[in-house]
Amino acid sequence: MASTSTGMFLPEYPQLTPQMRSVLERMARAPYPPIHTLAPQEAKANYELGAGVLEVPKAQLERVEDFVIAARDGATLGARLYANSRDTLPVLLYFHGGGFTIGSVASHDILCRELCRLSGCAVVSLDYRLGPEFRFPTAVNDAWDALQWIASHGSELGLDGTRLALGGDSAGGTLTAVCAILARNASIPIALQLMFYPGCAGTQDAPSHSKFAHGLVLERAHIDYFFSHYIAMDLREDWRFAPLNADDVEGVAPAWLGLAECDPLVDDGLAYADKLRAAGVAVDLEIYRGVTHEFIKMGRALPQARQAHADAASALSNALGCMPAPTSPPTSIPTNKP
C-alpha cells in the first residue's frame, strides 16, 4: 500500500515505472499540504516553489526577453520570448498548465527553454490571467488575444508570425485546442497544435478519472479544486472549456498529443485525438507509459520526460520547417535524488 501526503493509504498502480513510483513516494513523504487544501494564493506560491525541483538543468539561450501583450480589456499580459539565434524564426506560442488557477511563465521556464533548444524555433510563453480572480472565459480571451498579436506583430520581436504553432500542457493544452479552432475560424494559419495531456472535457465521467483518481500527481480532488476556482458548474459544457464539445473541428491545425498513461485525463485526450481524426485532421499521438500527469516537468528523474521533450520538439521542427540552432546541451542530468 502506498501513502500520500493526505495520510490516506492507497493501492499501488502496477503500471508505474520504478522512477515514477520513486517520485511519488518522495512526494508523499514531503511535509507539504496538498495544493487542493490551500487557499488559491497559497497554492500558487507553493506550486512556484516546487516547480523546478525535478526539471532538467536550465538551458542557456541566445535570447530570453520579457515583454507585454495588450488584452482586449486594456490589461497587459506578461510574456517571455525564448530564441537561440538572432535570426527571424518561426514561433511556438505556449500556454502553461495549472488548472487555470496556478502556474506561470516562471514555473514553465525550463520546459520552454528545452522546447526552444531542441526544436530551433522561438517560443513565446504567455502569463494569461488565472482564477479565482479571473474566471472563465478570461484565460481563453487572453490566449486568443496573444495569438492574434503574435500573428500580426511578431515581426516586431524578430519572429515570423506566418509560421506559427500553438502548444501547452494540461489547462494550457485546453487553450491550445480552443485557439486552434478560433484560428481556423479567423483564417490564421497554424502549423501545429501541440498538447501535453490536455483537459478536453467538462466532466470527470471517462473511466480514467475513476481509475487514476487517487494517489497520483493529479487527483480528483485537484480537478474539483481547479474547476471550482475557474468556472461555474453551468458553464462547463462550453466548448471553450471542454473542446470535446466543439461542434466542428474540421480544418483545424494538425495535432501532436503527448499523453501520460497514469493520468485521470488520458481517456479525454484519447477521445479528442479520435474526434480530430474523425474530422480528417492529421494526429500524431504518443502515450508515455508508466508516468503521471505533470511528468514533462520531471526530466531530472524520468527518461519519459526527456523523450517527450525530444518528440515534441521534433514535431515542431518538422511542422515549422526549422532546424535546431547550434547549442550545447544542458549540463548532464544529476544522478543524486532530490
Side-chain angles (χ1 to χ4, degrees):
M1 304 291 283
S3 172
T4 73
S5 56
T6 63
M8 295 174 61
F9 285 88
L10 301 163
E12 300 283 359
Y13 292 94
Q15 305 95 327
L16 295 171
T17 68
Q19 298 98 325
M20 188 75 249
R21 188 179 303 281
S22 176
V23 168
L24 291 170
E25 289 170 350
R26 282 176 274 159
M27 289 174 65
R29 292 195 299 268
Y32 308 117
I35 278 179
H36 61 81
T37 67
L38 300 175
Q41 290 306 319
E42 291 180 288
K44 294 176 200 290
N46 280 23
Y47 183 74
E48 296 292 325
L49 286 173
V53 170
L54 292 176
E55 294 270 25
V56 298
K58 181 185 292 188
Q60 300 304 307
L61 302 172
E62 179 74 16
R63 297 179 67 191
V64 179
E65 302 167 6
D66 291 336
F67 65 103
V68 296
I69 295 172
R72 66 188 67 187
D73 60 2
T76 54
L77 308 175
R80 183 170 295 171
L81 166 65
Y82 304 88
N84 214 22
S85 88
R86 296 285 170 177
D87 298 335
T88 299
L89 297 173
V91 58
L92 165 70
L93 176 58
Y94 195 85
F95 309 118
H96 66 79
F100 303 102
T101 307
I102 61 175
S104 66
V105 164
S107 69
H108 284 62
D109 177 77
I110 291 176
L111 173 61
C112 288
R113 287 172 184 263
E114 280 300 278
L115 293 175
C116 172
R117 180 182 74 86
L118 293 169
S119 70
C121 72
V123 176
V124 169
S125 180
L126 180 69
D127 253 334
Y128 58 92
R129 288 171 286 179
L130 302 173
E133 296 85 358
F134 300 97
R135 294 173 67 84
F136 175 85
T138 302
V140 174
N141 293 341
D142 288 352
W144 176 233
D145 291 349
L147 169 54
Q148 293 177 94
W149 192 93
I150 294 293
S152 299
H153 299 281
S155 60
E156 298 171 15
L157 296 171
L159 305 174
D160 184 352
T162 68
R163 290 193 291 162
L164 179 59
L166 302 171
D169 58 293
S170 195
T174 309
L175 295 175
T176 297
V178 170
C179 283
I181 297 171
L182 294 172
R184 186 268 323 263
N185 296 347
S187 299
I188 296 177
I190 302 297
L192 184 71
Q193 50 176 324
L194 184 149
M195 295 170 279
F196 296 107
Y197 36 76
C200 296
T203 65
Q204 299 182 55
D205 296 337
S208 59
H209 281 278
S210 298
K211 185 176 183 180
F212 301 115
H214 304 290
L216 302 176
V217 175
L218 181 70
E219 300 184 300
R220 180 180 291 273
H222 291 108
I223 299 174
D224 290 340
Y225 176 85
F226 294 139
F227 281 16
S228 70
H229 286 302
Y230 175 60
I231 187 167
M233 186 72 70
D234 62 347
L235 297 177
R236 294 181 187 178
E237 293 303 306
D238 191 307
W239 71 270
R240 295 171 299 168
F241 177 69
L244 272 169
N245 294 339
D247 290 335
D248 173 23
V249 295
E250 184 177 0
V252 302
W256 182 93
L257 286 93
L259 307 180
E261 179 186 13
C262 304
D263 183 357
L265 304 187
V266 65
D267 285 350
D268 297 331
L270 291 170
Y272 196 62
D274 288 344
K275 182 182 182 77
L276 293 172
R277 286 180 176 135
V281 178
V283 175
D284 185 2
L285 173 68
E286 299 287 345
I287 302 176
Y288 296 91
R289 301 295 176 180
V291 294
T292 71
H293 200 82
E294 193 82 350
F295 82 96
I296 58 164
K297 293 174 80 322
M298 302 178 185
R300 189 154 69 91
L302 303 178
Q304 292 84 357
R306 303 192 293 276
Q307 185 63 54
H309 298 165
D311 293 343
S314 178
L316 283 169
S317 296
N318 292 335
L320 293 170
C322 52
M323 294 294 292
T327 180
S328 299
T331 307
S332 58
I333 307 299
T335 57
N336 59 298
K337 295 181 180 181

